[in-house]
């Protein structure tokens, strides 16, 4: 019941309604299955019993008026009912199959989307604390596995359990004592199997989950460092590193599959034993052949249905146990709601940014190491500010404080005298950001510049305007497809300087009042850096520019220069 409750907790209200409708549809399928099985005995009885109507043997009083006719008429009518019931059952099960799979895979897409949406709504420190490979696994793999290893098997478990209950009711109706004996045998075998595999299969599910995340991590790191791998000739080491979690994940899945397929082998043997028990019991009870043949026909057809159904039940239980860790992950991640500042708050930067006695530490412990202590800084609108410092001195942390990604341990950051803690969502609407990493997507120049904006909303006039401001006009004009030119993954088809200019164009597209360059030119040669900085300085006529770097050759071009040192900022006069 706990597992069922946890699955329901993952579903939205609308999905829960569909789920219970589906259970009702499954219940109706059981009734159809009972009818189709139950009609076997009357048909066989009619065919082999020349002296007596089956109505006298089996109290079918509901059909008495219809079948109070000649034997030939009885056979034709019962066969017609039998064919009609099977036809309706086939139509119904076709509908059930389509409904079940449509619901299941729509649910998979919805869970994946909801997980992605949940992560996008997290604050910046969430992405610092969580490895991207785990997030990728959760979004990409876990919803698929949840549907295929848990949700569909759970629904099929209901289908198969209802089906078996229906068949058992029919068997007990005809042969109570013998049916109960065979049922006890099947339950005994099934219980032993579940007890033997229960704990191990859940552990295998955890192993699969852990190693799948490691596989994605190793692949991501390998493709991101392919140049180093080729130069250092460490392909074998990297491949071996990937193969360890790959083999463990495959082994866990192998064990799960074996446990799902093994019952079929043994259930066939149990089924044969069951038929022998039924036959022997009826001969032992001195039943005549006219009674034995219809019952054996019934039990044979029931076995034909029950054996694969029992196998599916055990496979579904195994699959659900294997997927149990998935439920925990999805439930945990979907229930984590982060209060985020809305971006639709209209904050216009008009005057100045003030850091007032700002202290910051990543740790909340008493003996914490402070990155900044009582930092004070004022940045006027439409000024250009350069911030320098050694690697690890806190330059990026300072920017993350300014962006509102980190909250000060003490002190305040004021935007036109408004506390950034309360307006950070709206504040981001004022900011353009250019990083050192130059995150170019494998798409056109147009879509790289208007990143995240739907095609029909892209303003081409603004595209060409920011291309001109970032000094890309000549480059774009020489391209046969112009702004529709595909740049390749990470911009591999263009130079480093062009990648940076496209990043600048992207930052300018939304017309921000503040543009931040986070070590954006450090990877460029001096000549290209000088050209880009000259273009950046021109922006200060209409933008506030904050330029973070560890190079000192262009600092005179900025209005103010600060150095991050010993938990504080020191103004440098050049």
């Amino acid at each position: 019941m706990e597992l069922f409750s946890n699955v329901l907790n993952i579903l939205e209200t609308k999905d829960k309604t569909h789920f219970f409708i589906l259970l009702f549809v499954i219940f109706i399928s059981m009734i159809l299955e009972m009818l189709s099985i139950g009609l076997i005995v009357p048909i066989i009885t009619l065919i082999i019993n020349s002296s007596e109507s089956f109505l006298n043997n089996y109290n079918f009083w509901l059909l008495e008026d219809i079948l109070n006719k000649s034997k030939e008429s009885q056979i034709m009518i019962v066969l017609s009912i039998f064919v009609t019931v099977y036809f309706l059952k086939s139509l119904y099960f076709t509908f059930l199959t389509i409904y079940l799979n449509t619901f299941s895979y729509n649910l998979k897409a919805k869970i994946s989307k909801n997980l992605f949406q949940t992560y996008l709504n997290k604050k910046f420190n969430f992405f610092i604390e969580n490895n991207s490979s785990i997030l990728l696994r959760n979004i990409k793999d876990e919803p698929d596995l949840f549907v295929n290893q848990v949700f569909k098997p759970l629904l099929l478990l209901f289908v198969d359990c209802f089906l078996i209950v229906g068949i058992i009711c029919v068997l007990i109706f005809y042969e109570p004592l013998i049916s109960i004996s065979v049922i006890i045998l099947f339950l005994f075998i099934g219980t032993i199997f579940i007890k033997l595999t229960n704990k191990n299969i859940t552990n295998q599910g955890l192993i699969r989950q852990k190693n799948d995340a490691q596989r994605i991590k190793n692949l991501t790191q390998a493709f991101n460092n392919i140049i180093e791998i080729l130069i250092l000739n460490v392909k074998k080491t990297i491949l071996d590193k990937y193969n360890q979690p790959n083999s463990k994940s495959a082994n866990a899945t192998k064990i799960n599959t074996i446990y799902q397929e093994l019952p079929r082998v043994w259930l066939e043997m149990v089924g044969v034993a069951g038929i022998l028990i039924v036959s022997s019991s009826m001969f032992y009870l001195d039943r005549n052949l006219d009674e034995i043949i219809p019952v054996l026909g019934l039990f044979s057809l029931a076995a034909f249905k029950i054996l694969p159904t029992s196998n599916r039940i055990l496979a579904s239980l195994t699959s659900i146990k294997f997927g149990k860790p998935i439920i925990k992950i999805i439930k945990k991640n979907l229930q984590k709601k982060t209060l985020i500042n809305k971006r639709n708050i209209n904050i216009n930067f008009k005057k100045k940014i003030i850091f007032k006695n700002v202290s910051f530490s990543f740790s909340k412990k008493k003996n914490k190491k402070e990155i900044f202590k009582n930092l004070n800084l004022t940045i006027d609108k439409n000024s250009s500010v350069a911030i320098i410092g050694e690697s690890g001195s806190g330059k990026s942390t300072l920017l993350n404080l300014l962006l509102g990604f980190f909250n000060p341990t003490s002190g305040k950051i004021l935007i036109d005298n408004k506390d950034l803690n309360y307006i950070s969502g709206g504040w981001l609407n004022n900011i353009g950001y250019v990083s050192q990493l130059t995150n170019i997507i494998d798409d056109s120049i147009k879509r790289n510049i208007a990143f995240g904006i739907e095609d029909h909303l892209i303003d081409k006039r603004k595209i060409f305007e920011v291309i001109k401001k970032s000094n890309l006009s000549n480059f774009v004009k020489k391209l046969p497809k112009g702004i529709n030119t595909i740049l390749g993954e990470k911009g591999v088809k263009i130079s480093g300087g062009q990648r940076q200019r496209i990043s600048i164009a992207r930052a300018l597209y939304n017309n921000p009042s503040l543009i931040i360059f986070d070590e954006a030119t450090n990877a460029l040669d001096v000549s290209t850096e000088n050209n880009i900085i000259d273009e950046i300085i021109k922006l200060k006529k209409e933008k506030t520019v904050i330029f973070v770097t560890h190079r000192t050759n262009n600092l005179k071009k900025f209005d103010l220069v600060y150095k991050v040192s010993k938990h504080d900022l020191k103004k440098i006069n050049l």
Side-chain angles (χ1 to χ4, degrees):
M1 283 303 294
E2 182 186 356
L3 183 141
F4 182 69
S5 175
N6 287 336
V7 169
L8 285 181
N9 285 337
I10 291 172
L11 305 185
E12 296 177 356
T13 304
K14 186 179 177 182
D15 295 323
K16 287 177 185 176
T17 303
H18 278 291
F19 181 78
F20 287 110
I21 290 172
L22 192 52
L23 289 186
F24 176 74
V25 171
I26 290 168
F27 176 76
I28 300 298
S29 71
M30 176 195 75
I31 295 172
L32 288 171
E33 196 67 64
M34 287 176 68
L35 283 171
S36 65
I37 296 287
L39 287 169
I40 291 297
V41 170
I43 291 171
I44 296 176
T45 302
L46 274 172
I47 292 170
I48 68 168
N49 192 339
S50 58
S51 62
E52 190 177 13
S53 169
F54 73 93
L55 292 171
N56 297 324
N57 290 337
Y58 304 99
N59 188 27
F60 286 100
W61 56 270
L62 288 172
L63 301 174
E64 196 164 355
D65 291 337
I66 300 172
L67 299 177
N68 193 17
K69 299 180 180 180
S70 66
K71 182 178 177 182
E72 290 75 13
S73 298
Q74 290 181 12
I75 292 173
M76 290 304 297
I77 292 172
V78 173
L79 283 175
S80 298
I81 293 172
F82 181 74
V83 171
T84 302
V85 168
Y86 257 86
F87 177 72
L88 290 174
K89 190 191 83 167
S90 299
L91 282 179
Y92 195 82
F93 271 79
T94 301
F95 163 74
L96 176 59
T97 301
I98 294 170
Y99 187 18
L100 187 149
N101 282 285
T102 301
F103 178 44
S104 297
Y105 289 103
N106 284 345
L107 180 65
K108 168 198 161 184
K110 184 181 287 187
I111 291 172
S112 182
K113 176 197 165 188
N114 288 346
L115 282 168
F116 190 31
Q117 185 178 41
T118 299
Y119 294 150
L120 289 177
N121 287 337
K122 297 292 184 183
K123 289 194 173 181
F124 182 67
N125 60 340
F126 172 82
F127 298 97
I128 293 175
E129 295 166 0
N130 290 274
N131 193 292
S132 62
S133 60
I134 293 175
L135 304 185
L136 283 170
R137 180 205 65 192
N138 292 350
I139 295 168
K140 177 182 161 294
D141 295 339
E142 301 306 276
D144 183 60
L145 289 165
F146 171 75
V147 165
N148 288 310
Q149 297 283 355
V150 179
F151 191 73
K152 273 189 68 180
L154 183 63
L155 288 174
L156 291 173
L157 191 62
F158 279 109
V159 172
D160 293 332
C161 284
F162 277 130
L163 177 62
I164 282 191
V165 167
I167 294 172
I168 287 171
C169 289
V170 172
L171 294 177
I172 290 173
F173 173 77
Y174 286 110
E175 290 292 340
L177 184 62
I178 296 174
S179 298
I180 291 170
S181 301
V182 173
I183 290 162
I184 290 171
L185 176 64
F186 269 86
L187 286 175
F188 178 71
I189 299 294
T191 302
I192 289 175
F193 177 79
I194 291 168
K195 289 287 184 184
L196 289 174
T197 61
N198 198 4
K199 187 175 180 181
N200 186 34
I201 201 65
T202 302
N203 290 337
Q204 295 304 320
L206 288 168
I207 291 168
R208 192 278 315 161
Q209 195 174 69
K210 177 184 175 183
N211 285 283
D212 274 2
Q214 189 62 43
R215 286 169 65 212
I216 295 171
K217 179 181 176 182
N218 291 349
L219 286 171
T220 304
Q221 290 176 346
F223 291 132
N224 286 342
N225 295 282
I226 191 64
I227 293 175
E228 287 84 352
I229 290 171
L230 294 175
I231 292 173
L232 297 172
N233 194 25
V234 291
K235 288 176 280 188
K236 186 179 183 304
T237 305
I238 298 300
L239 186 61
D240 289 344
K241 189 175 180 182
Y242 168 76
N243 200 43
Q244 289 176 15
N246 187 48
S247 297
K248 289 178 182 177
S249 177
N251 187 62
T253 306
K254 175 198 75 177
I255 292 171
N256 174 48
T257 305
I258 289 171
Y259 282 162
Q260 287 186 41
E261 294 180 1
L262 267 182
R264 178 178 57 81
V265 178
W266 292 97
L267 283 172
E268 285 179 4
M269 187 199 76
V270 174
V272 171
I275 295 294
L276 289 174
I277 290 170
V278 171
S279 304
S280 302
S281 300
M282 295 190 75
F283 280 114
Y284 180 77
L285 295 170
D286 292 326
R287 300 281 182 90
N288 61 53
L289 201 59
D290 285 353
E291 290 179 290
I292 292 173
I293 291 174
V295 173
L296 279 180
L298 172 67
F299 273 85
S300 298
L301 182 60
F304 178 74
K305 293 283 186 180
I306 286 177
L307 288 176
T309 304
S310 299
N311 179 58
R312 285 198 305 270
I313 286 174
L314 292 174
S316 294
L317 289 170
T318 301
S319 180
I320 290 167
K321 287 290 182 183
F322 184 73
K324 197 174 179 181
I326 302 168
I327 303 172
K328 186 176 179 182
I329 285 288
I330 292 176
K331 183 183 173 186
K332 178 183 175 183
N333 282 268
L334 286 180
Q335 285 183 342
K336 282 185 177 180
K337 293 183 179 178
T338 306
L339 294 174
I340 59 167
N341 293 300
K342 294 181 179 179
R343 294 293 296 267
N344 57 9
I345 301 172
N346 189 22
I347 304 297
N348 292 318
F349 177 40
K350 296 178 180 178
K351 295 179 181 178
K352 59 180 66 181
I353 301 164
I354 299 174
F355 281 64
K356 191 174 182 180
N357 296 320
V358 169
S359 297
F360 177 77
S361 171
F362 285 106
S363 174
K364 295 181 180 180
K365 296 178 181 178
K366 289 184 178 181
N367 298 325
K368 57 191 176 184
K369 180 183 177 182
E370 289 189 309
I371 309 299
F372 293 111
K373 187 174 182 180
N374 297 327
L375 182 147
N376 290 283
L377 171 67
T378 299
I379 299 173
D380 293 319
K381 184 177 172 65
N382 293 347
S383 62
S384 61
V385 178
I387 297 173
I388 62 171
E390 297 175 0
S391 295
S393 59
K395 301 188 297 298
S396 294
T397 302
L398 180 66
L399 291 184
N400 287 329
L401 285 165
L402 175 59
L403 290 165
F405 293 159
F406 296 156
N407 294 326
T409 308
S410 63
K412 291 181 179 180
I413 301 172
L414 304 173
I415 312 298
D416 294 339
N417 291 319
K418 295 175 183 175
D419 193 331
L420 180 57
N421 280 345
Y422 302 107
I423 62 166
S424 60
W427 168 236
L428 290 173
N429 292 329
N430 293 268
I431 297 173
Y433 180 80
V434 184
S435 73
Q436 182 180 4
L437 298 177
T438 60
N439 294 307
I440 302 298
I441 60 172
D442 188 8
D443 211 325
S444 64
I445 292 173
K446 177 180 71 175
R447 289 179 184 149
N448 266 282
I449 293 173
F451 181 69
I453 298 172
E454 294 180 30
D455 280 357
H456 68 280
L457 296 176
I458 294 175
D459 187 336
K460 286 189 178 180
R461 181 188 58 81
K462 285 173 68 176
I463 292 284
F464 286 109
E465 186 180 305
V466 297
I467 281 174
K468 184 178 179 181
K469 285 183 179 179
S470 55
N471 201 17
L472 278 168
S473 297
N474 291 334
F475 167 68
V476 172
K477 284 177 184 177
K478 293 176 183 177
L479 298 171
K481 294 184 180 180
I483 60 172
N484 294 310
T485 301
I486 303 298
L487 300 179
E489 189 176 6
K490 298 182 183 178
V492 293
K493 296 180 180 180
I494 56 177
S495 69
Q498 289 161 348
R499 287 197 291 269
Q500 283 300 65
R501 286 188 171 90
I502 286 171
S503 294
I504 293 169
R506 179 191 292 170
L508 293 172
Y509 179 80
N510 289 317
N511 194 29
S513 52
L514 168 64
I515 185 163
I516 296 171
F517 296 86
D518 184 6
E519 310 221 32
T521 62
N522 287 352
L524 303 177
D525 60 82
V526 174
S527 176
T528 305
E529 182 188 42
N530 289 340
N531 292 333
I532 288 178
I533 288 176
D534 288 338
E535 291 155 15
I536 290 170
I537 295 300
K538 292 176 186 176
L539 296 173
K540 77 171 187 176
K541 296 174 183 177
E542 53 189 53
K543 313 282 182 193
T544 305
V545 175
I546 297 177
F547 188 84
V548 174
T549 184
H550 62 257
R551 291 180 175 176
T552 59
N553 50 306
N554 283 295
L555 297 181
K556 289 183 179 180
K557 297 175 182 179
F558 293 88
D559 297 334
L560 294 169
V561 179
Y562 290 93
K563 183 176 182 180
V564 180
S565 178
K566 295 181 180 179
H567 317 302
D568 202 355
L569 281 178
K570 293 181 180 178
K571 186 177 179 182
I572 297 176
N573 296 315
L574 298 173

